[in-house]
Amino acid sequence: MPQLKSKTVYLCSACGNDHPKWHGQCPSCNEWGTLGEFKVSKKRKKGSGGLARDSRKLTDILQGDEVKRIPTGIAEMDRVLGGGLLPGSLILLGGNPGIGKSTLALQILPAFTKQVLYVSAEESEEQIGLRARRLNVNSDSLHLSSENRIEGILDQVSLIQPELVVIDSIQTVFSDALDSLPGSVSQIRECGQQLLQLAKQRNIAVMIIGHVTKEGVIAGPKMLEHMVDIVLYIEGDDRHDHRILRSAKNRFGTSNEVGIFQMESNGLIEVKNPSELFLAERRDDISGSTIFPSLEGSRPILVEVQALVSNANFGTPQRNVNGFDFKRLAMLLAVLEKRLGTHMGTKDVFVNLVGGLKVDDPAADLAVITAVASSARDKLLPKSVILIGEVGLGGEVRSVSRLEARINEAKSLGFKTVIAPTANVKRMKKSPKGIKISGVTNVGEAFHLLF
Ligand code: TYD
Ligand code: MG
């Protein structure tokens, strides 16, 4: 058997660094048991070689033509990107299998007037073609390919000279220079690196699609996050049709911006007014329901917080939470017990943010604690009340960011009363008309107004 000339390296599946020797603990990131053995062929080219690049003066760069972003034609996508795709940028689009990554990537293609290359090693050209037609993506400039060697992809790029390349997905492409399997840490890192060079050297946008699986979270796209300019994730679950596109990182815009879509038979459709979507099935005749304007990136979205408190049937009471931090809920329950005299020790507590939205905004505290208290005391809350405020360990209500934007969103959906931190309310320059704002300094005051 011909012996391949190769050397062995130990790659960390957590940070992606390689080491010449095996260690129990990765010397780079200190994770335990993450090093795996990989054979790297010796003929692998090191770096790109060539001449060193010159530096440029800041004033020269600013005087040059301003780079034009290319709008994708999908407003929700453009907002998340920071106003469109920038030439020369490397974008990672991640998400669970079946969430709609390929669909979204296909839907942005008609916006490009020059050539576009869509590489899908997962499906045949015919399959992507069929899907593209179903999504009404009819573009003369769209080239489809099911090449899965990175070298082949680079050749096609030289030939077609596209302004955008989509790789669907990074787990299926591989480089001839490595002996490991497609989808392995070393392959993903190598191909990612080559695509980075491609984007920067040719000044074209490259979008990489990556699956996030339960155990592949770190080895897959997570490692690429350091490499790319923009990280987008599509979130959502099987039970709901809506999808949330979120920018986890954006070198050219604000991160944590969100776009909301609905998955329909003809692809992902933008949701122009997400608050209406999340409140659509709300019932205001049951206890334990409050409304909170969550700030998702720069945009406020109203979400319903539901709580259910019942007597525990077993020794240890259950605490179950969807869309909100578990530890934060535990803290709020302790505040409720200690500062407001509501006994929670023998109660099961369930908290749910309706619609599958995940909120890690401390401003949700007041809405959550009030929903729990409303259910525990079985008292209905007044209709059309909005609750905003971070709750401290002493039961005090602390100020939050961008109160006015949150109040305006509530107002536009017809809410009439807002309970917000006094400190915030005092700072407001002018209070909006048609909505009553009550400032509170602690949770007790809020309960006094409500119950
Ligand atoms: P897909 O984009 O293939 O997901 P991913 O690339 O993230 O794996 O989308 C797959 C799901 O979306 C599939 O279950 C079918 C559904 N879908 C629609 O509901 N409508 C459509 O128009 C398309 C193209 C897909
Ligand atoms: Mg796909």
PDB file of all heavy atoms in Angstrom, residues 84-114:
ATOM      1  N   GLY A  84     -27.389  45.848   4.121  1.00  0.00           N
ATOM      2  CA  GLY A  84     -27.056  45.158   2.869  1.00  0.00           C
ATOM      3  C   GLY A  84     -25.721  44.445   2.962  1.00  0.00           C
ATOM      4  O   GLY A  84     -24.994  44.600   3.944  1.00  0.00           O
ATOM      5  N   LEU A  85     -25.415  43.680   1.926  1.00  0.00           N
ATOM      6  CA  LEU A  85     -24.164  42.913   1.914  1.00  0.00           C
ATOM      7  C   LEU A  85     -23.000  43.789   1.457  1.00  0.00           C
ATOM      8  O   LEU A  85     -23.115  44.502   0.466  1.00  0.00           O
ATOM      9  CB  LEU A  85     -24.283  41.739   0.953  1.00  0.00           C
ATOM     10  CG  LEU A  85     -24.861  40.444   1.472  1.00  0.00           C
ATOM     11  CD1 LEU A  85     -24.813  39.393   0.382  1.00  0.00           C
ATOM     12  CD2 LEU A  85     -24.100  39.956   2.676  1.00  0.00           C
ATOM     13  N   LEU A  86     -21.902  43.708   2.166  1.00  0.00           N
ATOM     14  CA  LEU A  86     -20.719  44.462   1.759  1.00  0.00           C
ATOM     15  C   LEU A  86     -19.820  43.567   0.917  1.00  0.00           C
ATOM     16  O   LEU A  86     -19.545  42.432   1.300  1.00  0.00           O
ATOM     17  CB  LEU A  86     -19.939  44.889   3.001  1.00  0.00           C
ATOM     18  CG  LEU A  86     -20.193  46.266   3.583  1.00  0.00           C
ATOM     19  CD1 LEU A  86     -19.314  46.463   4.792  1.00  0.00           C
ATOM     20  CD2 LEU A  86     -19.912  47.349   2.561  1.00  0.00           C
ATOM     21  N   PRO A  87     -19.334  44.077  -0.216  1.00  0.00           N
ATOM     22  CA  PRO A  87     -18.372  43.292  -0.981  1.00  0.00           C
ATOM     23  C   PRO A  87     -17.146  43.014  -0.115  1.00  0.00           C
ATOM     24  O   PRO A  87     -16.762  43.871   0.690  1.00  0.00           O
ATOM     25  CB  PRO A  87     -18.004  44.220  -2.146  1.00  0.00           C
ATOM     26  CG  PRO A  87     -19.086  45.235  -2.212  1.00  0.00           C
ATOM     27  CD  PRO A  87     -19.641  45.364  -0.839  1.00  0.00           C
ATOM     28  N   GLY A  88     -16.579  41.848  -0.236  1.00  0.00           N
ATOM     29  CA  GLY A  88     -15.387  41.524   0.550  1.00  0.00           C
ATOM     30  C   GLY A  88     -15.694  41.001   1.931  1.00  0.00           C
ATOM     31  O   GLY A  88     -14.784  40.769   2.719  1.00  0.00           O
ATOM     32  N   SER A  89     -16.985  40.815   2.248  1.00  0.00           N
ATOM     33  CA  SER A  89     -17.277  40.336   3.600  1.00  0.00           C
ATOM     34  C   SER A  89     -17.551  38.833   3.592  1.00  0.00           C
ATOM     35  O   SER A  89     -18.007  38.269   2.599  1.00  0.00           O
ATOM     36  CB  SER A  89     -18.455  41.098   4.201  1.00  0.00           C
ATOM     37  OG  SER A  89     -19.606  40.916   3.423  1.00  0.00           O
ATOM     38  N   LEU A  90     -17.226  38.208   4.713  1.00  0.00           N
ATOM     39  CA  LEU A  90     -17.442  36.768   4.882  1.00  0.00           C
ATOM     40  C   LEU A  90     -18.546  36.602   5.919  1.00  0.00           C
ATOM     41  O   LEU A  90     -18.441  37.112   7.034  1.00  0.00           O
ATOM     42  CB  LEU A  90     -16.146  36.117   5.358  1.00  0.00           C
ATOM     43  CG  LEU A  90     -16.118  34.602   5.443  1.00  0.00           C
ATOM     44  CD1 LEU A  90     -16.321  33.967   4.080  1.00  0.00           C
ATOM     45  CD2 LEU A  90     -14.791  34.121   6.026  1.00  0.00           C
ATOM     46  N   ILE A  91     -19.610  35.919   5.511  1.00  0.00           N
ATOM     47  CA  ILE A  91     -20.787  35.814   6.375  1.00  0.00           C
ATOM     48  C   ILE A  91     -21.049  34.362   6.711  1.00  0.00           C
ATOM     49  O   ILE A  91     -20.984  33.492   5.839  1.00  0.00           O
ATOM     50  CB  ILE A  91     -22.032  36.394   5.657  1.00  0.00           C
ATOM     51  CG1 ILE A  91     -21.786  37.854   5.339  1.00  0.00           C
ATOM     52  CG2 ILE A  91     -23.289  36.256   6.494  1.00  0.00           C
ATOM     53  CD1 ILE A  91     -22.093  38.193   3.932  1.00  0.00           C
ATOM     54  N   LEU A  92     -21.325  34.092   7.967  1.00  0.00           N
ATOM     55  CA  LEU A  92     -21.682  32.737   8.375  1.00  0.00           C
ATOM     56  C   LEU A  92     -23.161  32.710   8.718  1.00  0.00           C
ATOM     57  O   LEU A  92     -23.633  33.512   9.527  1.00  0.00           O
ATOM     58  CB  LEU A  92     -20.850  32.344   9.599  1.00  0.00           C
ATOM     59  CG  LEU A  92     -21.181  31.014  10.259  1.00  0.00           C
ATOM     60  CD1 LEU A  92     -20.887  29.868   9.322  1.00  0.00           C
ATOM     61  CD2 LEU A  92     -20.386  30.843  11.542  1.00  0.00           C
ATOM     62  N   LEU A  93     -23.895  31.812   8.080  1.00  0.00           N
ATOM     63  CA  LEU A  93     -25.322  31.680   8.366  1.00  0.00           C
ATOM     64  C   LEU A  93     -25.525  30.314   9.012  1.00  0.00           C
ATOM     65  O   LEU A  93     -25.367  29.285   8.368  1.00  0.00           O
ATOM     66  CB  LEU A  93     -26.121  31.801   7.057  1.00  0.00           C
ATOM     67  CG  LEU A  93     -27.633  31.631   7.138  1.00  0.00           C
ATOM     68  CD1 LEU A  93     -28.266  32.694   8.005  1.00  0.00           C
ATOM     69  CD2 LEU A  93     -28.252  31.665   5.756  1.00  0.00           C
ATOM     70  N   GLY A  94     -25.834  30.316  10.296  1.00  0.00           N
ATOM     71  CA  GLY A  94     -25.934  29.053  11.032  1.00  0.00           C
ATOM     72  C   GLY A  94     -27.359  28.771  11.468  1.00  0.00           C
ATOM     73  O   GLY A  94     -28.222  29.644  11.432  1.00  0.00           O
ATOM     74  N   GLY A  95     -27.578  27.530  11.880  1.00  0.00           N
ATOM     75  CA  GLY A  95     -28.907  27.170  12.373  1.00  0.00           C
ATOM     76  C   GLY A  95     -29.097  25.669  12.313  1.00  0.00           C
ATOM     77  O   GLY A  95     -28.330  24.964  11.657  1.00  0.00           O
ATOM     78  N   ASN A  96     -30.121  25.188  13.011  1.00  0.00           N
ATOM     79  CA  ASN A  96     -30.408  23.751  13.011  1.00  0.00           C
ATOM     80  C   ASN A  96     -30.796  23.282  11.615  1.00  0.00           C
ATOM     81  O   ASN A  96     -31.285  24.075  10.816  1.00  0.00           O
ATOM     82  CB  ASN A  96     -31.567  23.464  13.968  1.00  0.00           C
ATOM     83  CG  ASN A  96     -31.160  23.690  15.397  1.00  0.00           C
ATOM     84  OD1 ASN A  96     -30.010  23.483  15.772  1.00  0.00           O
ATOM     85  ND2 ASN A  96     -32.097  24.162  16.200  1.00  0.00           N
ATOM     86  N   PRO A  97     -30.589  22.005  11.342  1.00  0.00           N
ATOM     87  CA  PRO A  97     -31.003  21.486  10.037  1.00  0.00           C
ATOM     88  C   PRO A  97     -32.505  21.690   9.836  1.00  0.00           C
ATOM     89  O   PRO A  97     -33.285  21.518  10.779  1.00  0.00           O
ATOM     90  CB  PRO A  97     -30.674  19.995  10.127  1.00  0.00           C
ATOM     91  CG  PRO A  97     -29.649  19.882  11.199  1.00  0.00           C
ATOM     92  CD  PRO A  97     -29.925  20.985  12.163  1.00  0.00           C
ATOM     93  N   GLY A  98     -32.881  22.090   8.652  1.00  0.00           N
ATOM     94  CA  GLY A  98     -34.300  22.248   8.336  1.00  0.00           C
ATOM     95  C   GLY A  98     -34.920  23.553   8.785  1.00  0.00           C
ATOM     96  O   GLY A  98     -36.127  23.756   8.632  1.00  0.00           O
ATOM     97  N   ILE A  99     -34.126  24.461   9.307  1.00  0.00           N
ATOM     98  CA  ILE A  99     -34.684  25.705   9.849  1.00  0.00           C
ATOM     99  C   ILE A  99     -34.975  26.719   8.736  1.00  0.00           C
ATOM    100  O   ILE A  99     -35.801  27.605   8.893  1.00  0.00           O
ATOM    101  CB  ILE A  99     -33.728  26.286  10.924  1.00  0.00           C
ATOM    102  CG1 ILE A  99     -34.452  27.283  11.849  1.00  0.00           C
ATOM    103  CG2 ILE A  99     -32.509  26.936  10.334  1.00  0.00           C
ATOM    104  CD1 ILE A  99     -35.128  26.656  12.991  1.00  0.00           C
ATOM    105  N   GLY A 100     -34.270  26.586   7.600  1.00  0.00           N
ATOM    106  CA  GLY A 100     -34.539  27.511   6.481  1.00  0.00           C
ATOM    107  C   GLY A 100     -33.326  28.269   5.986  1.00  0.00           C
ATOM    108  O   GLY A 100     -33.459  29.300   5.324  1.00  0.00           O
ATOM    109  N   LYS A 101     -32.123  27.737   6.248  1.00  0.00           N
ATOM    110  CA  LYS A 101     -30.897  28.438   5.825  1.00  0.00           C
ATOM    111  C   LYS A 101     -30.787  28.480   4.301  1.00  0.00           C
ATOM    112  O   LYS A 101     -30.563  29.533   3.711  1.00  0.00           O
ATOM    113  CB  LYS A 101     -29.656  27.743   6.404  1.00  0.00           C
ATOM    114  CG  LYS A 101     -29.621  27.706   7.906  1.00  0.00           C
ATOM    115  CD  LYS A 101     -28.403  26.990   8.423  1.00  0.00           C
ATOM    116  CE  LYS A 101     -28.355  25.511   8.065  1.00  0.00           C
ATOM    117  NZ  LYS A 101     -29.429  24.707   8.678  1.00  0.00           N
ATOM    118  N   SER A 102     -30.959  27.319   3.658  1.00  0.00           N
ATOM    119  CA  SER A 102     -30.850  27.269   2.201  1.00  0.00           C
ATOM    120  C   SER A 102     -31.930  28.135   1.568  1.00  0.00           C
ATOM    121  O   SER A 102     -31.689  28.819   0.573  1.00  0.00           O
ATOM    122  CB  SER A 102     -31.002  25.838   1.701  1.00  0.00           C
ATOM    123  OG  SER A 102     -30.123  24.985   2.377  1.00  0.00           O
ATOM    124  N   THR A 103     -33.119  28.097   2.157  1.00  0.00           N
ATOM    125  CA  THR A 103     -34.227  28.889   1.623  1.00  0.00           C
ATOM    126  C   THR A 103     -33.881  30.369   1.641  1.00  0.00           C
ATOM    127  O   THR A 103     -34.033  31.064   0.640  1.00  0.00           O
ATOM    128  CB  THR A 103     -35.499  28.624   2.468  1.00  0.00           C
ATOM    129  OG1 THR A 103     -35.700  27.221   2.531  1.00  0.00           O
ATOM    130  CG2 THR A 103     -36.702  29.287   1.867  1.00  0.00           C
ATOM    131  N   LEU A 104     -33.407  30.852   2.776  1.00  0.00           N
ATOM    132  CA  LEU A 104     -33.083  32.278   2.900  1.00  0.00           C
ATOM    133  C   LEU A 104     -31.948  32.660   1.954  1.00  0.00           C
ATOM    134  O   LEU A 104     -32.010  33.681   1.276  1.00  0.00           O
ATOM    135  CB  LEU A 104     -32.707  32.609   4.351  1.00  0.00           C
ATOM    136  CG  LEU A 104     -32.470  34.081   4.636  1.00  0.00           C
ATOM    137  CD1 LEU A 104     -33.739  34.891   4.428  1.00  0.00           C
ATOM    138  CD2 LEU A 104     -31.963  34.303   6.059  1.00  0.00           C
ATOM    139  N   ALA A 105     -30.932  31.805   1.880  1.00  0.00           N
ATOM    140  CA  ALA A 105     -29.790  32.107   1.022  1.00  0.00           C
ATOM    141  C   ALA A 105     -30.228  32.211  -0.436  1.00  0.00           C
ATOM    142  O   ALA A 105     -29.778  33.078  -1.173  1.00  0.00           O
ATOM    143  CB  ALA A 105     -28.718  31.044   1.187  1.00  0.00           C
ATOM    144  N   LEU A 106     -31.140  31.323  -0.843  1.00  0.00           N
ATOM    145  CA  LEU A 106     -31.627  31.373  -2.226  1.00  0.00           C
ATOM    146  C   LEU A 106     -32.452  32.628  -2.479  1.00  0.00           C
ATOM    147  O   LEU A 106     -32.383  33.223  -3.545  1.00  0.00           O
ATOM    148  CB  LEU A 106     -32.492  30.144  -2.520  1.00  0.00           C
ATOM    149  CG  LEU A 106     -31.758  28.895  -2.992  1.00  0.00           C
ATOM    150  CD1 LEU A 106     -32.714  27.714  -3.017  1.00  0.00           C
ATOM    151  CD2 LEU A 106     -31.158  29.101  -4.369  1.00  0.00           C
ATOM    152  N   GLN A 107     -33.215  33.022  -1.458  1.00  0.00           N
ATOM    153  CA  GLN A 107     -34.125  34.149  -1.652  1.00  0.00           C
ATOM    154  C   GLN A 107     -33.420  35.487  -1.826  1.00  0.00           C
ATOM    155  O   GLN A 107     -34.005  36.420  -2.364  1.00  0.00           O
ATOM    156  CB  GLN A 107     -35.109  34.222  -0.476  1.00  0.00           C
ATOM    157  CG  GLN A 107     -36.235  33.216  -0.620  1.00  0.00           C
ATOM    158  CD  GLN A 107     -37.214  33.312   0.529  1.00  0.00           C
ATOM    159  OE1 GLN A 107     -36.922  32.914   1.636  1.00  0.00           O
ATOM    160  NE2 GLN A 107     -38.374  33.864   0.269  1.00  0.00           N
ATOM    161  N   ILE A 108     -32.181  35.611  -1.345  1.00  0.00           N
ATOM    162  CA  ILE A 108     -31.505  36.902  -1.494  1.00  0.00           C
ATOM    163  C   ILE A 108     -30.809  37.018  -2.861  1.00  0.00           C
ATOM    164  O   ILE A 108     -30.391  38.095  -3.246  1.00  0.00           O
ATOM    165  CB  ILE A 108     -30.472  37.176  -0.379  1.00  0.00           C
ATOM    166  CG1 ILE A 108     -29.337  36.154  -0.411  1.00  0.00           C
ATOM    167  CG2 ILE A 108     -31.128  37.202   0.986  1.00  0.00           C
ATOM    168  CD1 ILE A 108     -28.158  36.567   0.456  1.00  0.00           C
ATOM    169  N   LEU A 109     -30.701  35.904  -3.591  1.00  0.00           N
ATOM    170  CA  LEU A 109     -29.910  35.915  -4.825  1.00  0.00           C
ATOM    171  C   LEU A 109     -30.416  36.843  -5.940  1.00  0.00           C
ATOM    172  O   LEU A 109     -29.614  37.479  -6.610  1.00  0.00           O
ATOM    173  CB  LEU A 109     -29.740  34.484  -5.361  1.00  0.00           C
ATOM    174  CG  LEU A 109     -29.062  33.521  -4.378  1.00  0.00           C
ATOM    175  CD1 LEU A 109     -28.871  32.169  -5.021  1.00  0.00           C
ATOM    176  CD2 LEU A 109     -27.725  34.076  -3.906  1.00  0.00           C
ATOM    177  N   PRO A 110     -31.752  36.962  -6.136  1.00  0.00           N
ATOM    178  CA  PRO A 110     -32.200  37.807  -7.247  1.00  0.00           C
ATOM    179  C   PRO A 110     -31.770  39.269  -7.114  1.00  0.00           C
ATOM    180  O   PRO A 110     -31.782  40.000  -8.100  1.00  0.00           O
ATOM    181  CB  PRO A 110     -33.736  37.707  -7.180  1.00  0.00           C
ATOM    182  CG  PRO A 110     -34.012  36.488  -6.418  1.00  0.00           C
ATOM    183  CD  PRO A 110     -32.880  36.301  -5.473  1.00  0.00           C
ATOM    184  N   ALA A 111     -31.395  39.689  -5.892  1.00  0.00           N
ATOM    185  CA  ALA A 111     -31.005  41.091  -5.699  1.00  0.00           C
ATOM    186  C   ALA A 111     -29.677  41.406  -6.385  1.00  0.00           C
ATOM    187  O   ALA A 111     -29.347  42.570  -6.582  1.00  0.00           O
ATOM    188  CB  ALA A 111     -30.924  41.402  -4.217  1.00  0.00           C
ATOM    189  N   PHE A 112     -28.914  40.362  -6.736  1.00  0.00           N
ATOM    190  CA  PHE A 112     -27.590  40.615  -7.307  1.00  0.00           C
ATOM    191  C   PHE A 112     -27.673  40.678  -8.823  1.00  0.00           C
ATOM    192  O   PHE A 112     -28.217  39.784  -9.452  1.00  0.00           O
ATOM    193  CB  PHE A 112     -26.611  39.531  -6.854  1.00  0.00           C
ATOM    194  CG  PHE A 112     -26.340  39.621  -5.388  1.00  0.00           C
ATOM    195  CD1 PHE A 112     -27.206  39.053  -4.469  1.00  0.00           C
ATOM    196  CD2 PHE A 112     -25.248  40.327  -4.918  1.00  0.00           C
ATOM    197  CE1 PHE A 112     -26.981  39.173  -3.112  1.00  0.00           C
ATOM    198  CE2 PHE A 112     -25.016  40.452  -3.561  1.00  0.00           C
ATOM    199  CZ  PHE A 112     -25.888  39.873  -2.665  1.00  0.00           C
ATOM    200  N   THR A 113     -27.128  41.759  -9.355  1.00  0.00           N
ATOM    201  CA  THR A 113     -27.262  41.956 -10.798  1.00  0.00           C
ATOM    202  C   THR A 113     -26.117  41.298 -11.556  1.00  0.00           C
ATOM    203  O   THR A 113     -26.268  40.898 -12.691  1.00  0.00           O
ATOM    204  CB  THR A 113     -27.305  43.457 -11.131  1.00  0.00           C
ATOM    205  OG1 THR A 113     -26.279  44.089 -10.378  1.00  0.00           O
ATOM    206  CG2 THR A 113     -28.654  44.052 -10.778  1.00  0.00           C
ATOM    207  N   LYS A 114     -24.953  41.187 -10.873  1.00  0.00           N
ATOM    208  CA  LYS A 114     -23.834  40.507 -11.540  1.00  0.00           C
ATOM    209  C   LYS A 114     -23.950  39.001 -11.280  1.00  0.00           C
ATOM    210  O   LYS A 114     -24.961  38.532 -10.781  1.00  0.00           O
ATOM    211  CB  LYS A 114     -22.519  41.072 -11.013  1.00  0.00           C
ATOM    212  CG  LYS A 114     -22.351  42.540 -11.398  1.00  0.00           C
ATOM    213  CD  LYS A 114     -20.999  43.048 -11.000  1.00  0.00           C
ATOM    214  CE  LYS A 114     -20.989  44.569 -11.005  1.00  0.00           C
ATOM    215  NZ  LYS A 114     -20.187  45.122  -9.934  1.00  0.00           N
TER     216      LYS A 114
END
